[in-house]
Amino acid sequence: MRHLSTKATCNSHGQDSSYFLGWEEYEKNSYDKVQNPKGIIQMGLAENQLSFDLLESWLEKNPEPAGFKRDGKSIFRELALFQDYHGLPAFKKALVEFMAEIRGNRVSFDPNHMVLTAGATSANETLMFCLAEPGEAFLLPTPYYPGFDRDLKWRTGVEIVPIHCTSSNDFQITETALEAAYYEAQQCNLRVKGVLVTNPSNPLGTTLSRSELNLLISFITTKGIHLISDEIYSGTVFSSPGFVSVMEVLKDRNCDKSEVWDRVHIVYSLSKDLGLPGFRVGAIYSNDDMVVAAATKMSSFGLVSSQTQYLLSALLSDKKFTKNYISENQKRLKNRQNMLVMGLKRAGISCLKSNAGLFCWVNMRHLLRSDTFEAEMELWKKIVYDVRLNISPGSSCHCTEPGWFRVCFANMTEETLDLAIKRLKDFVVEHTANGHSKSNNSSKKSKRKLLPKWVLRLRDRDHEPDER
Ligand SMILES: Cc1ncc(COP(=O)(O)O)c(C=O)c1O
């Protein structure tokens, strides 16, 4: 007898991806400077631990909000009973102002158009529920955040169709790639409901250019579909070109008076910019009142606790604090990114030029035995088990070119990052000396390159319905 539902056991969750398998290996043998100095260093987790001291010092100076107090009086009972799923007005005001500050106050946001969710995970899933029927599709540029397979597809039954971006133009989105994805969806009998982008990108660590944003807006206007912009990393942009939100481009094009205005939605969260993934604070921002109303109804499944809202409304209303935090955090991220890029360069490894995020998109194609995803897996296993670094292979982000890896730099101390770079450098010397990498013909594109299984699965879905 079957004990679990098909939904609970189907493989669209993506738990078997190497992205999650790497975490499991890390859990079994985690690096600790004293207890386990030969353990695996976690470089597959996009966490921001660089500015905790700033948050801690604010908490020390402002003990009232964390102690359930207002003007010296306990508000414990008020917070314990609060259950309005519209959220605390003071928190929503502080959050929209923080979002505007990150965007240089070039745009403003109305708290009435915001729905609070338990992180961006919940925000993305809620938008899928509100905008698409099971079996309809969203187009996503590759490479993309591996968690999207779970967040967008698993419980909603929505399909993801890849917009194939390649290293030939630094993985930028082109009109040809957008049209090809739209066509591919049609070939698979999937109705396209929208495009979802992450800006800045996870895993690339780059921001979308104005011309890409313009292209996206024109595309969704012509096709009559939605655009979701996941801007969870918007506060991590540490060097030029600066961050441009899709809302700015919409405003510049005077779209606030056109019907496309209602079809653009932003996802945000404090998991990355403030480094608080454990607090579970996210939001949907939509110009469409109907989307806001539907998402608010759904938000009962993933509300943000009242004490978290209360604490963060005090923190984010402190403008002196937020101003200093945003710039200091960006400075620290920039130093870290530089440390990783320079360290890898000394090991003969290059990175995609990035200006944001908590990771680099690293090119190790020259270390592959052949230009295939099998060779990428082989190299990844060596790096996890022998070098003892958990990094994420490009195939787990649905990259179509073998040899790229996402390497995180903000979830550890400088000392640990130094050690990780040293381990990788020693490995490259040995690996190259043993002739394991493909010899100097890395520029030749191999015809043997295989498409990852999931692409084939999507292509074959009409013939093999059980594979879904
Ligand atoms: C692009 C992107 N969206 C959403 C999430 C989920 O974030 P949250 O912790 O807010 O649920 C992540 C987390 O890594 C992410 O990278």
Side-chain angles (χ1 to χ4, degrees):
M1 193 181 77
R2 260 171 136 191
H3 297 288
L4 297 178
S5 68
T6 319
K7 265 203 161 113
T9 49
C10 75
N11 65 9
S12 68
H13 178 279
Q15 192 77 45
D16 55 353
S17 131
S18 45
Y19 176 73
F20 292 112
L21 295 181
W23 286 9
E24 277 172 28
E25 289 312 311
Y26 165 75
E27 292 298 336
K28 285 186 226 159
N29 180 22
S30 323
Y31 168 79
D32 180 274
K33 191 182 164 188
V34 182
Q35 309 286 338
N36 191 18
K38 294 215 156 78
I40 298 176
I41 297 174
Q42 175 61 294
M43 304 186 95
L45 186 57
E47 247 177 22
N48 180 6
Q49 297 185 16
L50 301 192
S51 300
F52 274 155
D53 59 313
L54 304 179
L55 296 168
E56 282 163 347
S57 110
W58 185 90
L59 286 170
E60 227 167 85
K61 284 189 216 136
N62 299 275
E64 278 211 339
F68 308 125
K69 283 192 178 146
R70 187 192 296 130
D71 303 328
K73 290 203 188 88
S74 172
I75 55 159
F76 170 78
R77 290 176 183 212
E78 193 183 308
L79 290 175
L81 292 174
F82 179 81
Q83 55 177 302
D84 181 346
Y85 58 17
H86 291 93
L88 280 177
F91 176 56
K92 287 172 82 175
K93 180 174 177 288
L95 188 57
V96 289
E97 284 173 6
F98 184 61
M99 285 171 69
E101 192 178 358
I102 284 170
R103 288 151 187 80
N105 288 311
R106 293 180 298 273
V107 274
S108 59
F109 298 95
D110 174 356
N112 295 318
H113 286 266
M114 171 177 272
V115 181
L116 297 178
T117 58
T121 302
S122 175
N124 280 314
E125 190 190 53
T126 301
L127 278 173
M128 287 302 117
F129 264 106
C130 293
L131 305 178
E133 305 291 345
E136 292 184 333
F138 263 76
L139 310 180
L140 266 73
T142 63
Y144 66 76
Y145 163 54
F148 279 149
D149 292 319
R150 172 197 60 204
D151 305 350
L152 309 183
K153 288 164 57 176
W154 186 30
R155 300 196 298 184
T156 63
V158 168
E159 295 286 354
I160 293 176
V161 175
I163 302 164
H164 295 300
C165 301
T166 65
S167 60
S168 62
N169 67 346
D170 292 340
F171 298 95
Q172 290 205 27
I173 301 169
T174 63
E175 191 177 354
T176 316
L178 279 170
E179 290 292 352
Y182 195 86
Y183 179 74
E184 170 150 9
Q186 285 179 323
Q187 292 303 101
C188 295
N189 289 324
L190 296 170
R191 184 164 172 226
V192 176
K193 289 309 290 282
V195 180
L196 186 148
V197 294
T198 61
N199 183 25
S201 160
N202 175 8
L204 300 176
T206 53
T207 44
L208 287 177
S209 64
R210 241 173 223 281
S211 68
E212 283 171 288
L213 289 164
N214 270 312
L215 172 65
L216 284 163
I217 292 170
S218 302
F219 182 75
I220 64 145
T221 306
T222 319
K223 305 286 188 207
I225 58 177
H226 295 272
L227 175 61
I228 299 174
S229 177
D230 180 336
E231 301 185 353
I232 187 171
Y233 294 97
S234 48
T236 68
V237 183
F238 48 75
S239 52
S240 64
F243 176 63
V244 182
S245 168
V246 67
M247 279 300 166
E248 274 180 75
V249 181
L250 276 179
K251 251 186 62 186
D252 293 350
R253 290 168 61 135
N254 289 322
C255 286
D256 45 343
K257 289 165 196 80
S258 73
E259 48 107 38
V260 76
W261 180 245
D262 280 353
R263 294 204 308 271
V264 178
H265 322 281
I266 288 184
V267 165
Y268 188 54
S269 152
L270 296 179
S271 296
K272 313 296 175 181
D273 292 351
L274 281 191
L276 300 175
F279 278 29
R280 309 309 304 140
V281 183
I284 294 167
Y285 190 88
S286 174
N287 297 317
D288 184 345
D289 290 334
M290 270 159 46
V291 171
V292 172
T296 304
K297 269 199 280 178
M298 282 202 62
S299 67
S300 308
F301 294 107
L303 295 172
V304 182
S305 77
S306 51
Q307 72 266 40
T308 298
Q309 290 189 53
Y310 179 62
L311 170 64
L312 293 178
S313 64
L315 181 100
L316 296 181
S317 305
D318 184 341
K319 299 292 181 232
K320 200 166 150 219
F321 169 78
T322 53
K323 186 166 183 260
N324 177 56
Y325 179 92
I326 292 169
S327 69
E328 182 60 30
N329 183 48
Q330 289 167 351
K331 206 157 71 190
R332 294 179 188 189
L333 288 170
K334 185 179 177 162
N335 284 339
R336 268 315 173 81
Q337 184 256 17
N338 192 45
M339 189 178 155
L340 178 61
V341 172
M342 296 319 281
L344 291 178
K345 195 173 172 192
R346 285 193 290 277
I349 298 172
S350 63
C351 301
L352 180 76
K353 192 168 183 287
S354 65
N355 62 336
L358 311 173
F359 31 73
C360 286
W361 187 238
V362 178
N363 186 354
M364 298 204 219
R365 214 162 172 172
H366 60 296
L367 298 176
L368 299 184
R369 186 179 41 81
S370 63
D371 209 6
T372 63
F373 284 103
E374 280 75 12
E376 179 179 286
M377 270 299 108
E378 211 176 275
L379 179 64
W380 176 71
K381 282 183 186 156
K382 273 195 186 132
I383 294 174
V384 173
Y385 295 108
D386 302 345
V387 192
R388 285 157 288 117
L389 304 177
N390 178 37
I391 60 176
S392 309
S395 51
S396 70
C397 303
H398 304 290
C399 185
T400 48
E401 294 174 17
W404 291 90
F405 292 83
R406 190 193 74 167
V407 180
C408 296
F409 55 70
N411 61 322
M412 65 195 80
T413 62
E414 249 183 49
E415 199 186 357
T416 309
L417 183 59
D418 242 343
L419 174 64
I421 294 169
K422 185 182 176 310
R423 283 186 186 178
L424 202 56
K425 221 168 119 193
D426 293 348
F427 165 73
V428 173
V429 171
E430 202 189 301
H431 187 77
T432 317
N434 291 342
H436 287 314
S437 54
K438 62 186 151 63
S439 50
N440 298 329
N441 60 356
S442 55
S443 59
K444 263 193 246 158
K445 280 221 173 114
S446 166
K447 291 278 179 263
R448 283 183 296 144
K449 186 172 81 179
L450 300 173
L451 281 173
K453 263 200 213 113
W454 71 279
V455 174
L456 297 172
R457 223 183 280 144
L458 190 62
R459 289 223 168 122
D460 296 344
R461 69 190 275 285
D462 287 337
H463 310 293
E464 290 175 51
D466 290 339
E467 273 291 285
R468 274 210 277 164

